[in-house]
């Protein structure tokens, strides 16, 4: 028997809450072997980002090619890609080489408010990456920027934007409502899935609001848990059951948020607790 293997293509966060560090910790918590291609080094802590050192696009491609020459990957996710050149390099390799279901977390801004992507890269994500993506997981500002519309303010807006984003090419879209959670009094994400016959189904995923400021890495953890869950479909070539995988991933994140205040890491917006679900915290 061999391991289910998940790949993250993302930036490094030395504080461990977000980026590849969060992804690998989440993969491990879901008993999935993790590989990581690094797209950028950030100088970052729980208070903010003080610098970004991008990896040249050709070397991102070389990391991917070298890995995939040797290792079979059953599902992948992308996180911070940073520049249009890196987006195109990643799309070039992933559209030629199978990696199983692809989850795209279109990381644009850190929880601290720091920009992690330039405008050209947003265009490249829209035009080149979304057509090869199986599940797109934007937060409220990211969905608005991809669609050139105002930010969602209610669950109906999340639903409309999830359906509208399907037209840009992904097989499914999960618009995360974390930024509305305090206003709505609960955390509601909306999943839109394109069916085999072309129809669209919409699913609401609701969880009680967790009253914590320790939310660094929530998006990374959710998309990593989704990629880990999708490895099972990736081993057989079956289509992932996204509604079920979203519920599992939300349980992983909910446990991570409920346990976050007990970590006590850093003095800003601290990390979610990536392994809490595996430790039986929910
Ligand atoms: N305070 C909270 N309580 C419960 N769930 C939350 C909370 N904040 C965020 N979430 C959930 O965390 C996930 C990531 O949310 P969001 O903050 O929207 O994305 P990002 O981290 O990419 O900005 C979503 O599933 C969202 O519903
Ligand atoms: C390297 C890297 N990637 C992604 C994020 C976004 O994380 P968050 O979930 O806090 O928005 C981050 N802060 N750093």
């Amino acid at each position: 028997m061999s391991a289910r293997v998940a790949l993250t293509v993302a930036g490094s966060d030395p504080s461990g809450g977000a980026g590849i560090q969060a992804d690998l910790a989440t993969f491990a918590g879901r008993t999935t072997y993790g590989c990581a291609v690094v797209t950028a080094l950030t100088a970052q802590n729980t208070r903010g980002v003080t610098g970004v050192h991008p990896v040249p696009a050709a070397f991102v491609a070389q990391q991917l090619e070298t890995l995939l020459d040797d290792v079979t990957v059953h599902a992948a996710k992308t996180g911070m890609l940073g520049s249009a050149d890196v987006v195109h390099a990643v799309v070039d390799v992933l559209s030629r080489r199978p990696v199983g279901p692809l989850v795209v977390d279109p990381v644009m801004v850190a929880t601290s408010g720091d920009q992690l992507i330039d405008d050209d890269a947003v265009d490249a994500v829209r035009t080149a990456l979304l057509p090869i993506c199986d599940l797109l997981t934007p937060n409220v500002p990211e969905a608005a920027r991809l669609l050139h519309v105002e930010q969602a303010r209610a669950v109906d807006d999340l639903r409309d934007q999830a359906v509208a984003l399907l037209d840009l090419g992904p097989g499914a879209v999960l618009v995360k409502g974390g930024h509305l959670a305090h206003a709505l009094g609960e955390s509601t994400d909306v999943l839109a899935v394109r069916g085999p016959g072309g129809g669209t189904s919409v699913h609401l995923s609701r969880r009680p609001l967790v009253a914590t400021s320790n939310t660094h890495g929530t998006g990374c953890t959710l998309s990593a848990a989704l990629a880990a869950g999708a490895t099972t479909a990736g081993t057989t070539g079956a289509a992932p059951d996204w509604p079920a995988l979203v519920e599992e991933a939300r349980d992983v994140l909910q446990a991570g948020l409920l346990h976050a205040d007990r970590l006590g890491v850093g003095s800003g917006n601290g990390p979610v607790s990536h392994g809490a679900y595996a430790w039986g915290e929910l």
Side-chain angles (χ1 to χ4, degrees), residues 139 176-179 187 189 208-210 218-219 222 250 253-254 257:
N139 62 20
K176 300 171 293 189
H179 294 236
S187 129
D189 298 350
L209 173 75
V210 181
T218 45
L222 186 76
R250 299 237 30 215
L253 186 59
Q254 195 74 0
L257 285 164

Side-chain angles (χ1 to χ4, degrees), residues 17 22-23 26 29-30 105 137 174 176-179 181 187-189 205 207-210 212 214-226 245-261 270-278 281-282:
D23 296 340
T26 305
R30 305 301 292 143
D105 183 11
T137 65
L174 179 72
K176 300 171 293 189
H179 294 236
S187 129
T188 304
D189 298 350
S205 173
R207 292 292 181 283
L209 173 75
V210 181
T212 178
N214 294 321
T215 56
H216 184 79
T218 45
C220 303
T221 304
L222 186 76
S223 55
L226 285 161
L245 293 179
V246 164
E247 291 309 318
E248 267 178 40
R250 299 237 30 215
D251 284 345
V252 169
L253 186 59
Q254 195 74 0
L257 285 164
L258 288 167
H259 192 244
D261 289 356
V272 293
S273 185
H274 313 100
Y277 185 76
E281 291 287 340
L282 190 68

Side-chain angles (χ1 to χ4, degrees), residues 12-31:
S12 161
D13 169 9
S15 73
I20 53 168
Q21 289 83 350
D23 296 340
L24 292 174
T26 305
F27 292 160
R30 305 301 292 143
T31 40

